[in-house]
Amino acid sequence: MATPVIETQNVYRIYEGAAGYTPALRGISLTVPRGEFLAIMGPSGSGKSTLMNILGCLDRPTTGTYRLQGIDVSDLSDDDLAHVRSTQLGFVFQSFNLLPRASVMRNVILPLLYSPVDPRERELRAIKALRAVDLPEEYWDHGSNELSGGQVQRVAIARALVADPPLLLADEPTGNLDTATGEMVMRTFLRLKARDKTVVLITHDAEVAAWADRTVHIRDGRLLTAEEERAFVERTARGARAAAGASDKDAASAVVPAGPTTPAPIAGPREASAL
Amino acid sequence: MRIRDLLAETFSAIRANRARSLLTILGIVIGISAVIAMTALIDGVKYAMVAQLGLNQSRLVMINAYPNGEPLQRSDLRQLEKGMTDYEFLTGTAGTSSSVSTGQVKLDGIYTNGVEDKYFVAMGSKFAEGRGFSEDEVDESALVAVVSQGLANKLWGQDADSVVGKSLSVGNDRYSVVGVLEDANGYTTGNETLYVPLSTFQTRIYNWGLDQVYGYAREGADLDTLGERTKSYLVSYYHLTGEDADGYVYIQTMKSMIDQLDSTMGAFQLLMTAVAGISLVVGGIGIMNMMLTNVTERIREIGLRKALGARRSDITRQFLLESVALCLVGGVFGILFGYLGAWALATLGSGLITSGMGMQITPVVTPSTVLLASGICIGIGLVFGYGPARRASRLDPVEALRYQ
Ligand SMILES: Nc1ncnc2c1ncn2[C@@H]1O[C@H](COP(=O)(O)OP(=O)(O)OP(=O)(O)O)[C@@H](O)[C@H]1O
Ligand SMILES: [Mg+2]
């Protein structure tokens, strides 16, 4: 088998804070092959963003190993990690993090300032990325503080796409989007996948997760085993039935929104058009 | 990160904080103003001196010798020239004031200078018209004259076409004008001066020895040692002893005059240096403070840039360039205000500084002064910007992104 894009073994991440030690990740072992579209689901505080920071080489595991494209990144220096981030990774942050005083265009171009991409190509790439997220051209010169929540989200996604990285990490990229726009983003991810890119998507929303090839669940810093997952699926399904029945008491105990987590057949078209 | 991108980032960052940036660079502005005002004035005075004295005069040794109270005579000079071979020649002058008239105009109290032919060489004189005296004219006490442009204007009016060939009278003698000197020539003389051959002066106007002797050093001679040797030569030549030596022989060189000027300006220079130094340090601390605020305000931005692939050095450079650019902006204003300040000081104090020299000072900002100021600005930007920039570059991307 070809080298997986992501391969973590027994990764722990323990935060040292005012309240003592917080083990946010407790033995995560995860393998993602090239071209997979993976969804990670889990309740708030379960360690999703922590995991994404490690997968994105922004943070290092406290113990355990992480190989990105077969390279153990814990051996790399800060500058090498920066290089990995600029050439291998695209981020959509949970809080988007656009530069507030810069225009949409400059925000999207930002990652290219630190990459070897020819400056003359920047604008063209930014335009492609903005088209891919369907942000109307009239907004491209707007300051990013003049946009709606959904528009901000789309700019953040365009910025993650602009360097055309082999691995895209997206933390709740559809949180602020209506169903139609959310679907459009999912289709963009599918197109990336069709071009052999790897996509890791973090979400609360089972319907969103249903677009992915595979979904893993994270609880208290641990991935659910196949067995636990089956149990979880049954529990959630029962909860949903009960909720549909009458009382919403049981539904409230369900940790994630009701909905099937088994990969549903993808409704969207899968044509492999370029970005 | 490319230089052009860095510059663009810097420009937009400074523009975003325009008001704060302007206030912050005030210290730098004042400091650089002081540096510029000071150097512009001092350079101005030096330029004025050199311009007034002429380039050749940098090879001049001014000799005032009254061995045993008697002035030197022309014949003494020829003897001394044989003994002191480091001089190309020695030339002497004698002067008094006299009344000069043409048919229409009569002027009193005009400084009249008896000179030898080589005097004009020694002074590096420039002629607006005509020529100096020939050796023959000096030897034969010819009735010829050279006038300064100022005197020519007074005698024949500003718009007289040509003055050479006209005649003027001193006492009962009529002199024919052979040359007109450009103004600003010779430091012993004012703007209106009449020159006649030394022999003519001594026989017809005032019979007295040489007031002043100029030694014109050979190319490359060291004036300081030459001055010393001239003094000891004269002392032994005239058998002067002890106190007499100091009283009767006084030697001055161009260099000693500039040294004298430097010591006059020393107090002013010290004051300005202190002002400059203090305000530059205060300004630098201001820059550092602003940069620290900038870094704190932009922690999330820094985290984002690092997350998107910026290396430490990219971040360091970005913030260093920002502080250097701030200081340079301060420097530009400083150069401007400093130059204006120098003009104000020159106008106010030109009488004070140059009393007796009769010079007009124009502040001079040389390229090297601008370079010095820019160098200081870059230095301050680097020194005081380094801490904040380093802090920014070492931020942890995850924590920076979480920063509220
Ligand atoms: N820098 C930190 N210092 C200390 N504790 C932290 C830090 N970051 C996260 N944590 C803790 O680690 C746990 C996991 O946090 P994380 O942000 O990964 O959750 P999440 O799954 O992304 O949640 P959400 O869905 O709300 O974004 C939480 O309990 C959180 O309090
Ligand atoms: Mg999170």
Side-chain angles (χ1 to χ4, degrees), chain A residues 44-45 47-50 94 171-172 202 204:
Chain A
S44 184
K48 303 185 297 295
S49 296
T50 305
Q94 192 168 13
D171 198 348
E172 295 285 1
I202 289 169
H204 279 107

Side-chain angles (χ1 to χ4, degrees), chain B residues 162-184:
Chain B
S162 173
V163 170
V164 170
K166 293 197 194 292
S167 57
L168 54 83
S169 312
V170 178
N172 298 322
D173 299 314
R174 286 174 72 79
Y175 294 79
S176 112
V177 174
V178 295
V180 180
L181 279 183
E182 280 181 11
D183 267 341

Side-chain angles (χ1 to χ4, degrees), chain A residues 167-220:
Chain A
L167 173 57
L168 185 81
L169 300 173
D171 198 348
E172 295 285 1
T174 55
N176 285 329
L177 299 181
D178 57 71
T179 324
T181 321
E183 246 177 53
M184 196 271 313
V185 169
M186 288 304 122
R187 278 181 224 285
T188 308
F189 289 169
L190 286 180
R191 283 203 299 275
L192 290 176
K193 177 188 137 60
R195 289 173 53 219
D196 213 25
K197 309 278 179 191
T198 309
V199 179
V200 174
L201 167 74
I202 289 169
T203 183
H204 279 107
D205 187 344
E207 262 179 60
V208 169
W211 289 78
D213 300 335
R214 177 163 71 106
T215 303
V216 295
H217 296 269
I218 184 168
R219 275 304 168 288
D220 296 332

